[in-house]
């Protein structure tokens, strides 16, 4: 018998018991929907993490004072010893895989232009800061190394500041005040948008960290050449952990830490740190995977049950088919195809529900909806495989019937 | 020379009849009990014959028909169909053989309850290894041949007993078999309908199809050329009928 005929035969047989057939596939529906949800959630979470990392800049190491192991507890007087200009220039000079390095010192401040003022973040950074953050200026330019060394009173503003203070009018060359100090605006940053946690990254003014130290911060609060947090960008082709070890070696030496003593700073790989945050999502995925497998097994047993009922109900039909020339393999194929078609119907319904659920979750979590053709293929393959596995025994039982007894049965 | 080519030579020489049984026996074992349904049954039936099989209930008629139809295998003796010993043929080939060579007609019609007449007739064609032409067209012609051209879209429940049996006959004929095996085909029909059906069988036999028919009814058996009577699993009579209705008609 041709496969197409067998499929059509299966569909017409299932239509005769329409409601029963649909109810039977409930387990398959839940299983397949779970498969799709599971993959969509995993993909959504992954893309979310990737977005976070790329908003920070990729291939990034972050340097923090203090102990990574004993967080929040200060151990000794120098445990929070900040990084200095010397640390930055030493790392830049001695670690060849470093492509950019910048300190980052933030304070709040009010900027004034004519009779408008605006409270914003004033970030003191080095001249390589934009490379570190994978950022760029939209209009104008960023400050260079010479201006940095000279402590020039120049500023590059974020788009939010440009809008709030200058109504998006050209602001290059304009002088404004931060506190009492006049600064010249030399550039406007590209729009970067909000962080996933909702903080506006464009509500910022970047100034040379040297200028911030000398002009904007009261002396007694600072070690003379403190640079705040340090971010280091490593060449894409280089080994991140090797660079991390090099930097740690330099800093231990500069800070006079003996081999046996523990570090009073730590260097952290941003991507590793961010991936650790997805553990909750992994747990969720695991639960969905368990649900999918259990539902498919329970659904498969339901399919097996209904197929056994169907074989019993149609014993006489099987006997007749054998009498008119069906081989045992024809009978087996007929019932196997029926089980697979039944599971695929459940699979299609489950797919629709799964896509709906994935969209709802994506909407709630503010993720993109990520459902690839491969996932749909995987889900339907899981359904078909369930049909084959659990349909085999009933099909085998049908194929083994004795034609005479089958014809005589009621 | 292998056994197979040996037999094909016999085939060609027409030495063998369509059906030959030799000391055919069938035992049924149910637990401790052994029932001898058939014992030492030997007869030949040539192509083109119309044979009635008679005997009281339980005499082994249905058992014999199952063996002749290759739905069952003997526990002793040999059955040669078209010169080949059925015991030597693999199960799949037996299925193909039934499909090509044998048409079954049952007392209870054995139509599939939710299938329209046309599809019932098409059924054996879907299992044919070699397929030719338009299946539906072929089935329609076959239905016309049994006088049901205007009932193609009817379900069995919408047909009378006689009409249902005609659909079953059309189904049996669809692959142009050499042999029709009918086990009490008129058993569920009234006298007038039975007579119509027998005239149909006569017509088919006239076209060269071998017919073996089981019946209790002497009137029905009278349509056949030959009568084989069974009692307790053995043949008690096997003779041609001079006054066969078949002979009278032809
Ligand atoms: N499947 C079976 N199992 C056991 N005994 C059977 C079976 N089929 C038939 N018989 C017995 O074999 C004998 C012949 O039965 P059957 O061929 O049906 O007779 P008939 O068709 O002439 O009425 C009977 O005694 C019957 O009880
Ligand atoms: Mg009988």
């Amino acid at each position: 018998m041709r496969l197409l005929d067998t499929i059509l035969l299966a569909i017409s047989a299932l239509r005769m018991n329409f409601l029963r057939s649909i109810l039977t596939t409930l387990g398959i529906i839940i299983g397949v929907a779970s498969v799709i949800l599971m993959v969509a959630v995993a993909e959504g979470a992954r893309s979310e993490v990737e977005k976070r990392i790329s908003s920070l800049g990729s291939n990034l190491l972050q340097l923090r004072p203090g102990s990574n192991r004993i967080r929040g507890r200060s151990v000794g007087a120098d445990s929070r010893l900040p990084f200095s200009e010397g640390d930055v220039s030493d790392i830049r000079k001695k670690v060849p895989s470093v492509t950019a390095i910048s300190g980052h010192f933030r304070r709040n401040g009010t900027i004034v232009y004519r009779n408008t003022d605006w409270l914003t973040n004033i970030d003191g950074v080095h001249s390589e800061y934009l490379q570190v953050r994978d950022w760029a200026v939209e209009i104008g330019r960023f400050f260079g190394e010479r201006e940095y060394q000279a402590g020039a009173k120049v500023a590059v503003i974020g788009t939010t500041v440009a809008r709030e203070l200058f109504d998006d009018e050209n602001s290059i060359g304009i002088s404004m005040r931060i506190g009492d100090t006049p600064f010249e605006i030399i550039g406007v940053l590209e729009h970067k948008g909000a962080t996933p946690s909702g903080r506006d990254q464009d509500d910022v003014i970047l100034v040379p960290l040297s200028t911030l130290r000398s002009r904007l911060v009261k002396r007694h609060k600072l070690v003379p050449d403190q640079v705040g947090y340090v971010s280091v960008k490593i060449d894409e082709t280089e080994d991140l952990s090797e660079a991390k070890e090099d930097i740690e070696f330099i800093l231990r030496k500069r800070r006079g830490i003996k081999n046996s003593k523990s570090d009073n700073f730590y260097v952290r790989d941003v991507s590793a740190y961010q991936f650790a945050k997805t553990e909750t999502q992994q747990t969720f995925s695991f639960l969905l995977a368990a649900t999918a497998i259990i539902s498919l097994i329970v659904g498969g047993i339901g399919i097996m049950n209904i197929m056994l009922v169907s074989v019993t109900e149609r014993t006489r039909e099987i006997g007749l088919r054998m009498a008119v020339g069906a081989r045992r393999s024809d009978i087996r194929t007929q019932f196997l195809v029926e089980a697979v078609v039944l599971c695929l119907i459940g699979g299609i319904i489950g797919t629709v529900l799964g896509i709906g659920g994935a969209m709802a979750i994506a909407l709630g979590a503010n993720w993109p909806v990520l459902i690839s053709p491969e996932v749909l293929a995987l889900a339907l393959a899981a359904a078909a495989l369930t049909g084959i596995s659990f349909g085999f025994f009933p099909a085998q039982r049908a194929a083994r019937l004795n034609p005479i007894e089958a014809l005589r049965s009621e | 020379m292998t056994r197979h080519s040996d037999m094909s030579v016999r085939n060609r020489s027409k030495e063998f009849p369509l059906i030959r049984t030799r000391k055919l026996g069938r035992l049924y074992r149910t637990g401790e009990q052994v029932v001898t349904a058939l014992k030492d049954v030997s007869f030949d039936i040539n192509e083109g014959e119309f044979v009635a099989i008679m005997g009281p209930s339980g005499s082994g008629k249905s058992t014999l028909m199952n063996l002749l139809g290759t739905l069952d295998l003997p526990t002793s003796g040999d059955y040669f169909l078209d010169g080949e010993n059925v015991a030597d043929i693999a199960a799949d080939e037996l299925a193909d053989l039934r499909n090509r060579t044998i048409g079954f007609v049952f007392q209870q019609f054995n139509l599939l309850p939710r299938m329209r007449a046309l599809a019932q007739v098409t059924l054996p064609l879907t299992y044919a290894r070699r397929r030719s032409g338009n299946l539906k067209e072929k089935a329609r012609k076959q239905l016309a041949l049994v006088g049901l051209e205007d009932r193609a879209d009817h379900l069995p429940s919408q047909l009378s007993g006689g009409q249902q049996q005609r659909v079953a006959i059309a189904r049996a004929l669809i692959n142009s078999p050499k042999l029709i095996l009918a086990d009490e085909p008129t058993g569920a029909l009234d006298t007038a309908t039975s007579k119509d059906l027998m005239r149909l069988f006569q017509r088919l036999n006239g076209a060269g199809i071998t017919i073996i028919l089981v019946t209790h009814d002497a009137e029905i058996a009278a349509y056949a050329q030959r009568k084989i009577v069974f009692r307790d699993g053995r043949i008690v009579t096997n003779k041609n009928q001079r006054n066969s209705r078949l002979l009278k008609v032809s």
Side-chain angles (χ1 to χ4, degrees), chain A residues 1-2 5 9 16-17 316-317 319-331 334 402-404 407-408, chain B residues 66 71-72 91-93 95-96 98-99 104 106 108-112 114-115 123-124 126-127 129 131 171 175:
Chain A
M1 202 178 210
R2 288 179 186 172
D5 290 337
L9 177 64
M16 284 177 192
N17 288 302
R316 210 182 165 93
E317 172 187 333
L320 179 82
R321 286 178 183 275
M322 285 175 167
V324 301
R327 294 179 175 189
R328 291 191 186 275
S329 57
D330 288 325
I331 301 294
Q334 178 187 338
N402 175 332
I404 300 162
L407 275 168
R408 258 209 315 252
Chain B
N66 290 338
L71 293 170
D72 191 15
D92 280 354
E93 278 166 59
D96 298 349
R98 282 197 294 275
N99 184 252
F104 291 90
F106 306 90
Q108 295 304 332
F109 322 136
N110 272 330
L111 298 179
L112 303 187
R114 287 193 252 193
M115 203 182 246
L123 193 63
T126 62
Y127 292 111
R129 295 294 136 184
R131 220 178 242 201
R171 180 179 66 194
N175 270 332

Side-chain angles (χ1 to χ4, degrees), chain A residues 6 69 84 108 207 217 302 336 393 400:
Chain A
T6 314
R69 282 169 285 263
S84 66
N108 293 329
V207 300
V217 184
L336 210 50
F393 173 64
R400 290 221 174 119

Side-chain angles (χ1 to χ4, degrees), chain B residues 15-19 44-51 210 226:
Chain B
E15 194 185 310
F16 260 64
L18 179 61
I19 284 172
D44 290 356
I45 294 174
N46 289 312
E47 215 171 325
E49 279 197 87
F50 189 160
V51 178
T210 311
R226 180 143 64 112

Side-chain angles (χ1 to χ4, degrees), chain A residues 101 180 359 394:
Chain A
I101 185 167
D180 298 329
M359 282 176 156

